[in-house]
Amino acid sequence: MLRFETLNKKRQGTIRVSTAQDLIARSNKLGSDPKNTNYAGGNTSAKGTETDPVTGEPVELMWVKGSGGDLGTLTESGLAVLRLDRMRALVDVYPGLDREDEMVAAFDYCLHGKGGAAPSIDTAMHGLVDAAHVDHLHPDSGIAIATAKDGEKLTKKIFGDKVVWVPWRRPGFQLGLDIAKIKAENPNAIGCILGGHGITAWGATSAACQKNSLWIIKTAEEYLAAKGKKAPFGREVKKNLALDPAERRAKAAALAPTIRGLASHDKPMVGHFSDDPRVLEFLASANAPKLAALGTSCPDHFLRTKVKPMLLDLPADAPVEKAIERLKELHEEYRKDYTAYYEKHAEKDSPAMRGADPAIVLVPGVGMFSFGANKQTARVAGEFYLNAINVMRGAESISTYTPISDREKFRIEYWALEEAKLQRMPKPKSHATRVALVTGAASGIGKAIATRLAAEGACVVIADLDLAKAQEAAAELGSTDVAVGVQVNVTDAEAIDKMVQDTVLAFGGVDLVVNNAGVSLSKPLLETTEKDWDFQHDIMAKGSFLVSKATAKVLIEQGMGGDIIYIASKNSVFAGPNNIAYSATKADQAHQVRLLAVELGEHGVKVNGINPDGVVRGSGIFASGWGANRAKTYGIDEDDLGKFYAQRTILKREVLPETVANAVVVLTGPDLSHTTGLHVPVDAGVAAAFLR
């Protein structure tokens, strides 16, 4: 046991910390700057020595970023640790290029210790190169040279003998052997340009390796800036220039539901919109159609963006109706083209086609729509296509952009190893890919609903009269990839349109609408004023109508079905004392459910209601005076109101905001896909409110 105890102590000591932690520090430094590499792109490694707990002898190890990790946020758990002697011994059993995929499984037999990340396909590049530290990165400037038609000559011209050209080869064991050979044959080299792909650099120390990586990137940037022509994308096309910001966002919001529906033809997708100036500049250029058709080159790019985008071929000021009509035509053409690409390159053992819809849709004068299985994936896809635009700009400025062939793209996109990685992804949650809009969601029932929907995988828009509280509630759920807070006054049609615009620009569209915004005044008939009546009806009856009307337009245009939920009340069917205005407006909401269920059913939109009762704890309505009034009506202390409501129920249970949220999740989840026009009591059993 002494030997293992010694090892454990050393794992906390200088050897372990200096190697792994230095590598992590370098990785985070490189990965935090998008100029150096894209999100989750590239990998880094470091070699060092530890004591083998079995023999007690020193053993050479390599720490390398594992499969799927991100350099900017890498931690020690994201590293794979391998024995170098065993890994280098794989050279002797390498079966050749046709069977190199088998070597990935062999890496598992080289692992040291337990835990850590799975080795990636690039592990050989790091282990076989004779250098203590190795970086493999995807900087836009480096890929610009890697995708230039005369990239090999440019590499020699720009870097001399310090950086060597490596012709395109798919990542794998053979590429590791190629780079190892190049380093051995070029003693002055500090790195290489990988044709069509990226860069690799090395060094004797972590600091030296980082310095070499940054030197290659900076040198490439400076050359492009000094030697690149001023208009690499060709002349400016005036009819495709960017619209004014307000007009641009309005048009993007008008097109978003259509585009999301098209991108979700095969499977539902979440969207992201960007009107980055670099995107708008590209779309306003004469060469944009030609370059977009060539597609991306770096594997990290096209695995996220598909091999090429869909580009609307209409001017920026084309009417929305005409743009929608043309987008639908282009979508059919895109699907046929992608299917032909698959059928041309697929072999008998290729994975099935994963879908023929675009992941990137470009609209001149407006911007870029990107799509993925969740908001982060959609956003990152857009960031990757922006990387691709930067690459095309650099390559065209000094040469001709020449990406790898469609055949090579297919070999990576439908690689068995890539398919295996996708199959290992966790099963999506019940509400994954769904965009939920909840009104009155900064507190109480609405906040509980938003929280639960986010936990089930939905993207959530928290709409509330108080913007600061809406944004605060959204921040509690996570980043803007999970939830955003927006302001709305549900009595104002223009404010609702703005809320819907904000929603579709944040996540591409909307699938699930919860009419939760509400207020209440507890007064008997003779004390209820006309103002009281209008106040409650405007917010709940009229507000629900306006929200449903505005969002139904999006749901119908997307063609993806959806859900509208009304948070009504037990009082919609129960004749309680002293709340004529509140109960009447809740009855109005309850009948809207039935009416809209009939009208929207042909579009696959389900409309259901929930009838809670006595939600005291966490309720904004009860805290604003309703609770005090109801307690007075029943002759009890306000603090005892929740218990009072519970005791009058059949189940003797208090109804909480989370109880209502549970009902929303069930009604909008996969198990009740055939249920519409239903009102679900969430009241712990109030016989007088039984539906009949």
Side-chain angles (χ1 to χ4, degrees):
M1 289 297 295
L2 180 60
R3 188 175 292 161
F4 290 92
E5 290 172 0
T6 302
L7 175 66
N8 287 335
K9 289 178 181 177
K10 286 191 174 183
R11 283 179 181 272
Q12 304 301 320
T14 305
I15 296 175
R16 177 68 167 171
V17 172
S18 64
T19 305
Q21 294 302 323
D22 279 0
L23 172 60
I24 290 167
R26 180 173 98 238
S27 303
N28 294 163
K29 171 81 172 178
L30 292 170
S32 62
D33 189 341
K35 290 197 307 181
N36 300 332
T37 198
N38 38 251
Y39 175 79
N43 29 71
T44 53
S45 67
K47 301 177 180 75
T49 304
E50 275 200 1
T51 301
D52 188 323
V54 176
T55 66
E57 299 297 322
V59 59
E60 285 188 282
L61 301 175
M62 178 178 72
W63 291 261
V64 60
K65 192 202 86 167
S67 178
D70 171 53
L71 289 176
T73 56
L74 185 67
T75 62
E76 194 164 345
S77 63
L79 298 174
V81 188
L82 299 91
R83 285 185 53 141
L84 277 174
D85 57 346
R86 293 181 66 81
M87 190 184 162
R88 287 170 175 165
L90 292 178
V91 174
D92 300 328
V93 297
Y94 175 47
L97 191 59
D98 292 341
R99 293 172 55 194
E100 72 167 346
D101 288 2
E102 298 172 21
M103 304 306 288
V104 175
F107 292 151
D108 291 342
Y109 295 92
C110 304
L111 293 172
H112 178 76
K114 61 182 180 180
S120 76
I121 189 65
D122 287 318
T123 299
M125 178 193 304
H126 295 271
L128 301 181
V129 171
D130 185 19
H133 300 267
V134 178
D135 294 334
H136 168 57
L137 304 170
H138 300 145
D140 295 345
S141 60
I143 305 175
I145 296 165
T147 55
K149 185 176 182 179
D150 50 350
E152 184 172 4
K153 291 182 180 179
L154 284 168
T155 299
K156 183 68 175 176
K157 182 177 182 180
I158 297 169
F159 303 104
D161 62 355
K162 293 184 70 175
V163 179
V164 184
W165 173 264
V166 179
W168 160 259
R169 188 184 293 282
R170 189 173 69 169
F173 202 85
Q174 186 60 55
L175 180 59
L177 290 171
D178 293 348
I179 298 174
K181 182 180 178 182
I182 282 174
K183 182 185 182 303
E185 293 175 350
N186 296 271
N188 293 329
I190 62 168
C192 53
I193 298 289
L194 308 180
H197 186 168
I199 73 168
T200 296
W202 47 78
T205 65
S206 185
C209 186
Q210 178 177 308
K211 181 180 179 181
N212 290 340
S213 292
L214 295 176
W215 181 84
I216 295 173
I217 295 167
K218 183 179 179 183
T219 301
E221 287 176 346
E222 290 176 345
Y223 184 87
L224 293 172
K227 304 295 184 180
K229 57 188 177 185
K230 300 298 182 183
F233 295 143
R235 64 178 177 81
E236 185 179 80
V237 180
K238 291 187 178 180
K239 66 179 182 179
N240 288 338
L241 288 174
L243 300 172
D244 290 336
E247 185 181 2
R248 191 162 69 229
R249 285 181 62 83
K251 189 168 186 178
L255 295 176
T258 298
I259 294 174
R260 184 185 180 217
L262 297 176
S264 301
H265 183 276
D266 289 321
K267 55 186 177 182
M269 291 284 176
V270 176
H272 175 73
F273 172 70
S274 171
D275 56 356
D276 186 289
R278 292 166 292 182
V279 173
L280 295 170
E281 176 199 8
F282 174 68
L283 294 178
S285 70
N287 294 340
K290 178 188 72 174
L291 292 169
L294 289 174
T296 53
S297 185
C298 176
D300 266 32
H301 293 181
F302 61 75
L303 284 174
R304 303 269 189 163
T305 66
K306 265 199 163 76
V307 289
K308 62 182 180 181
M310 187 174 95
L311 172 62
L312 179 62
D313 54 359
L314 292 178
D317 62 354
V320 169
E321 295 76 14
K322 188 174 181 180
I324 287 175
E325 179 183 358
R326 182 58 180 151
L327 283 165
K328 292 178 179 179
E329 294 172 351
L330 289 170
H331 179 246
E332 288 301 315
E333 294 174 15
Y334 187 98
R335 288 179 59 80
K336 290 177 182 177
D337 182 65
Y338 186 86
T339 301
Y341 153 81
Y342 176 87
E343 292 175 347
K344 178 179 180 179
H345 300 296
E347 299 176 352
K348 61 180 181 180
D349 58 346
S350 293
M353 189 169 71
R354 301 188 192 102
D357 298 321
I360 303 292
V361 178
L362 304 172
V363 180
V366 176
M368 170 174 60
F369 299 83
S370 55
F371 297 91
N374 52 54
K375 171 65 176 186
Q376 184 195 50
T377 304
R379 174 177 54 78
V380 169
E383 292 172 359
F384 273 64
Y385 197 75
L386 180 55
N387 289 133
I389 290 174
N390 293 337
V391 166
M392 289 186 278
R393 177 185 288 106
E396 287 285 299
S397 74
I398 55 172
S399 179
T400 301
Y401 174 64
T402 310
I404 62 174
S405 68
D406 281 357
R407 169 62 183 162
E408 288 301 307
K409 291 176 185 177
F410 184 89
R411 290 183 68 231
I412 289 179
E413 187 178 3
Y414 286 93
W415 198 354
L417 295 177
E418 186 64 30
E419 180 69 14
K421 185 190 298 184
L422 294 173
Q423 294 301 322
R424 290 194 299 268
M425 297 285 286
K427 182 180 178 181
K429 295 182 179 179
S430 65
H431 286 62
T433 75
R434 306 204 73 192
V435 180
L437 169 62
V438 186
T439 64
S443 62
I445 292 174
K447 186 176 182 180
I449 292 170
T451 301
R452 180 67 194 280
L453 289 171
E456 296 298 333
C459 299
V460 180
V461 176
I462 293 179
D464 202 272
L465 188 60
D466 189 320
L467 177 60
K469 289 183 178 179
Q471 292 174 335
E472 182 181 341
E476 290 177 17
L477 299 183
S479 72
T480 52
D481 288 341
V482 176
V484 296
V486 302
Q487 186 173 36
V488 69
N489 178 347
V490 295
T491 69
D492 184 339
E494 288 187 7
I496 290 171
D497 287 342
K498 174 66 164 55
M499 172 188 70
V500 174
Q501 181 183 106
D502 290 341
T503 298
V504 300
L505 291 181
F507 297 116
V510 67
D511 306 292
L512 196 166
V513 181
V514 182
N515 280 309
N516 172 74
V519 294
S520 184
L521 299 173
S522 175
K523 293 182 180 181
L525 172 63
L526 298 182
E527 294 179 17
T528 301
T529 65
E530 183 178 347
K531 182 178 179 181
D532 295 334
W533 179 273
D534 289 342
F535 178 63
Q536 295 191 77
H537 278 71
D538 282 351
I539 292 173
M540 292 184 286
K542 177 185 172 183
S544 296
F545 155 71
L546 291 175
V547 170
S548 295
K549 181 180 179 181
T551 54
K553 295 175 184 177
V554 177
L555 294 169
I556 292 169
E557 182 58 32
Q558 285 177 159
M560 298 167 63
D563 286 277
I564 299 177
I565 296 289
Y566 279 67
I567 306 301
S569 170
K570 173 254 325 182
N571 288 295
S572 66
V573 294
F574 174 75
N578 298 343
N579 62 354
I580 175 69
Y582 178 82
S583 295
T585 197
K586 285 299 182 182
D588 186 317
Q589 285 186 308
H591 201 48
Q592 286 185 39
V593 167
R594 303 180 185 98
L595 295 167
L596 296 187
V598 172
E599 186 171 342
L600 299 178
E602 66 177 293
H603 303 290
V605 178
K606 303 190 290 106
V607 187
N608 292 293
I610 296 173
N611 290 347
D613 177 45
V615 181
V616 178
R617 277 193 272 171
S619 169
I621 287 178
F622 275 87
S624 63
W626 170 262
N629 287 332
R630 299 316 292 165
K632 182 179 179 181
T633 297
Y634 296 118
I636 61 174
D637 290 337
E638 185 176 357
D639 291 343
D640 295 328
L641 192 58
K643 295 177 182 178
F644 171 80
Y645 282 142
Q647 288 307 308
R648 73 182 186 182
T649 69
I650 296 170
L651 297 175
K652 306 294 190 249
R653 297 174 184 169
E654 185 175 354
V655 179
L656 302 173
E658 291 74 18
T659 319
V660 183
N662 294 341
V664 172
V665 168
V666 173
L667 276 172
T668 59
D671 294 335
L672 289 184
S673 60
H674 292 56
T675 299
T676 192
L678 174 69
H679 276 280
V680 177
V682 182
D683 57 12
V686 178
F690 283 176
L691 298 173
R692 54 188 181 272

